[in-house]
Amino acid sequence: MTDPDRTAPRAKKRFGQHFLKDRHIVDRILDALEAEAGEAFLEIGPGPGTLTIPFHARGFPLTAIEYDREMVAYLRGLDFDPPLELIEADFMDVDLDAFFADRPQVKVFSNLPYNVSVPITARLLPYRQQIPLMVMMYQKEVAERIRAQPGTGEYGIISVLVRLFYRIDMHFNVAPGSFQPPPKVQSQVIRMHRLERPLLTVGDIGPLTCLLRTLFGRRRKMVTGVLKKHGGDLKNAGVDWMDRGSLLESFQNLGFDTKVRPENLTPEDYAAWLCRTKEYHERESRD
Ligand SMILES: C[S@@+](CC[C@H](N)C(=O)[O-])C[C@H]1O[C@@H](n2cnc3c(N)ncnc32)[C@H](O)[C@@H]1O
């Protein structure tokens, strides 16, 4: 389907463009999607179509969102049959409520622009019910943060948020030489499979993120101390039940060590804590 007369635009630094040139890595990413008939797919940042063209050739419905107008024009000039649905936009501005309203289940893949890889990932999480699987390439350190174990220096907000809803069941490293131009950093692809039963069953990402920001902003301090001192910040969380008193009461009630630090609580601990906090608040408001 490619038009041999057309030359892809040159990579631009400001869009984080490092194009995959290693066909073996391209195939590994596309195979990791475990695409099946009837499924729909979203690619973020197709660039010149490195992943897009071979994936489209596999015959699955694909939507791609690309910010760089020049890349969009280039892709539009290629003869995709059936046509590729291409949205020219900054992914961070796309109306995802509208996008996912029309598409009940969409597998997502991307060789992410590294400067916005975490915000893009965080922006997808509220739509997890529509996203059964993601295969994403990150700067290696970022992928390792997402995969990090509690108690380690890498473990943080994005590790908790992703793993409340997804199981990371596959990862592999990609060397700078697999890209054109080569980035200065190592890369890593991770596959995230949605959990059949999400760990978090109350509230949503917004309030939880507010709590995690308050805590991980002082990750070496004790959770109880941080809450006593900065729990007032949670007014901005947007839910009435996540108040300092309910959080402290349920924390104690769950039997967590009062000396524990934010980085020592697992995603399961955070989920249980939030659930108990909501129950506690509701009981208090009723009585
Ligand atoms: C690392 S390149 C990957 C290109 C191609 N998919 C590949 O694997 O070779 C990242 C792509 O994301 C695009 N991009 C950067 N920021 C974006 C944003 N905010 N929204 C959508 N696309 C973006 C870039 O223009 C670029 O095409």
Side-chain angles (χ1 to χ4, degrees):
M1 56 122 299
T2 46
D3 177 348
D5 294 338
R6 293 178 64 89
T7 314
R10 291 164 72 91
K12 301 178 195 73
K13 214 171 170 181
R14 71 177 184 283
F15 288 114
Q17 292 176 347
H18 296 278
F19 305 133
L20 269 169
K21 62 173 190 181
D22 182 335
R23 183 63 203 231
H24 171 66
I25 299 291
V26 168
D27 286 342
R28 271 184 93 178
I29 292 173
L30 300 183
D31 291 348
L33 286 165
E34 296 178 337
E36 288 183 16
E39 292 180 334
F41 296 82
L42 166 66
E43 183 186 3
I44 301 166
T50 329
L51 293 161
T52 327
I53 295 168
F55 186 73
H56 183 270
R58 295 186 182 197
F60 298 99
L62 173 62
T63 305
I65 300 176
E66 173 58 59
Y67 194 10
D68 179 357
R69 180 175 299 172
E70 213 187 342
M71 289 297 163
V72 172
Y74 172 73
L75 287 173
R76 290 210 167 116
L78 299 179
D79 179 22
F80 284 97
D81 180 24
L84 170 73
E85 185 185 10
L86 189 57
I87 300 172
E88 181 184 336
D90 177 345
F91 178 78
M92 298 306 291
D93 294 336
V94 173
D95 179 350
L96 293 181
D97 283 348
F99 180 85
F100 284 108
D102 294 349
R103 299 165 177 85
Q105 292 294 296
V106 186
K107 289 182 173 176
V108 180
F109 64 99
S110 181
N111 168 12
L112 286 162
Y114 291 165
N115 52 343
V116 279
S117 64
V118 171
I120 287 178
T121 306
R123 197 156 190 255
L124 288 165
L125 293 177
Y127 299 92
R128 61 196 173 272
Q129 276 158 0
Q130 284 80 32
I131 308 175
L133 185 134
M134 299 189 267
V135 178
M136 306 291 227
M137 173 122 62
Y138 297 89
Q139 178 176 339
K140 188 171 175 219
E141 286 75 11
V142 174
E144 285 179 343
R145 269 168 52 203
I146 296 174
R147 296 174 42 238
Q149 292 306 312
T152 62
E154 291 78 35
Y155 183 69
I157 297 176
I158 194 67
S159 338
V160 178
L161 289 178
V162 168
R163 277 144 60 195
L164 286 170
F165 309 108
Y166 288 89
R167 173 170 49 88
I168 300 167
D169 67 347
M170 175 183 174
H171 69 274
F172 57 88
N173 294 337
V174 184
S178 296
F179 301 86
Q180 180 53 41
K184 292 200 174 69
V185 294
Q186 297 283 329
S187 302
Q188 190 172 97
V189 173
I190 61 178
R191 178 167 70 186
M192 293 162 269
H193 250 121
R194 186 177 57 206
L195 295 170
E196 264 174 42
R197 288 155 55 109
L199 298 181
L200 186 71
T201 51
V202 296
D204 209 339
I205 306 275
L208 174 62
T209 307
C210 187
L211 174 65
L212 293 173
R213 283 210 184 107
T214 302
L215 296 174
F216 276 89
R218 297 103 185 158
R219 55 185 296 137
R220 310 286 303 154
K221 302 257 196 279
M222 291 185 294
V223 171
T224 45
V226 177
L227 278 179
K228 280 179 194 151
K229 201 160 170 199
H230 302 280
D233 299 356
L234 298 170
K235 283 194 301 290
N236 305 325
V239 285
D240 61 352
W241 53 269
M242 224 176 69
D243 61 280
R244 178 181 1 216
S246 304
L247 281 163
L248 282 167
E249 190 64 34
S250 54
F251 190 85
Q252 199 177 24
N253 195 255
L254 280 165
F256 290 134
D257 179 349
T258 48
K259 293 202 165 50
V260 85
R261 297 167 172 170
E263 62 184 22
N264 297 116
L265 292 174
T266 64
E268 287 83 352
D269 291 335
Y270 280 107
W273 185 20
L274 250 69
C275 187
R276 187 66 66 89
T277 302
K278 187 156 188 259
E279 281 166 13
Y280 177 85
H281 182 89
E282 282 169 359
R283 212 174 34 244
E284 287 293 294
S285 323
R286 242 190 349 257
D287 297 345

